[in-house]
Amino acid sequence: MPALRLDLGAAKEPLGLVRGLQWIFSIFAFATCGRYSGSVSFGVSCSGGPNVTVTAAFGYPFRLNRATFAPPLKDLCNGTWAADVHLVGDFAAAAQFFVAVAAAAFVYAAAALAVYLGCLGLYRAGAARLPMADFVATVVFSFLWLVSTSAWAKALTDVKVSVAAPLPGCRPPTTCSAAAVSPAGSLNVSVIFGFLNLLLWAAGSWFVYKETDLHRPPPPPPAAAPGAL
């Protein structure tokens, strides 16, 4: 049985190098999405009076329909709003799916990299099930990155539309004007990292495939000794 020993040379091979990049890029994917927080503000003027700025804070997991404005709109402008006003939309499913895939990819890439660095000989010597299981997992993660990033990109578009919409229920003589919306730059970057991860995992599947018996058939059995029955 091959000895278990640290071999940093595995990190220089495409198999280990791509897995290391997957590990790093998955961190960027869930950090740029999961740590986002922002706000949208409006200036409200009651019957030509001075502006009052109302702000609704929002962030991951982007349940905008739970975000209310402060100070409460129902307390302004003599009952123009009968109840608290919320932002529109619940995009938690897509956001949480994307972050969950990124977190799972981070854990798997770290574990696979540890195997490559610690027991690459065992990985390659006789244990054909290890490369095959690694290949299947890599293909599955490639598919998950495709689905989750596509869903999150669509949800992000809807988030931007929701926070850019006019303040609901504002009617004359009350006037409302958009004051500020937090930039979504890091969220745009999260989508970019999602598609980069898709490319990395798709490319990585090729290098893992080369380790399987599908690409490298097992050696033929030894020839029988002369004169053997």
Side-chain angles (χ1 to χ4, degrees), residues 125-229:
R129 289 188 296 272
L130 285 178
M132 182 58 68
D134 195 17
F135 173 67
V136 171
T138 303
V139 171
V140 169
F141 270 108
S142 300
F143 175 74
L144 290 175
W145 276 116
L146 172 63
V147 175
S148 64
T149 304
S150 299
W152 170 231
K154 174 61 171 64
L156 177 56
T157 299
D158 294 338
V159 168
K160 293 177 181 179
V161 170
S162 179
V163 299
L167 185 63
C170 186
R171 59 182 184 271
T174 301
T175 59
C176 306
S177 58
V181 179
S182 296
S186 67
L187 298 181
N188 295 332
V189 171
S190 71
V191 173
I192 294 173
F193 276 119
F195 284 115
L196 286 176
N197 273 289
L198 167 61
L199 295 176
L200 280 173
W201 284 82
S205 64
W206 166 249
F207 296 113
V208 179
Y209 169 76
K210 291 173 67 176
E211 301 292 331
T212 68
D213 288 343
L214 298 175
H215 181 266
R216 186 178 57 190
L229 295 179

Side-chain angles (χ1 to χ4, degrees), residues 13-90:
E13 298 184 20
L15 182 69
L17 179 61
V18 172
R19 195 65 85 191
L21 291 175
Q22 291 167 353
W23 178 67
I24 294 172
F25 277 62
S26 63
I27 297 174
F28 291 141
F30 70 69
T32 51
C33 177
R35 299 182 62 182
Y36 179 85
S37 62
S39 63
V40 55
S41 300
F42 289 89
V44 178
S45 179
C46 306
S47 301
N51 272 4
V52 176
T53 300
V54 294
T55 302
F58 64 93
Y60 178 83
F62 304 99
R63 291 189 174 94
L64 301 188
N65 56 350
R66 298 185 183 181
T68 58
F69 287 91
L73 287 167
K74 65 181 181 180
D75 297 337
L76 302 178
C77 302
N78 297 321
T80 297
W81 292 274
D84 286 335
V85 175
H86 298 254
L87 296 177
V88 178
D90 184 349

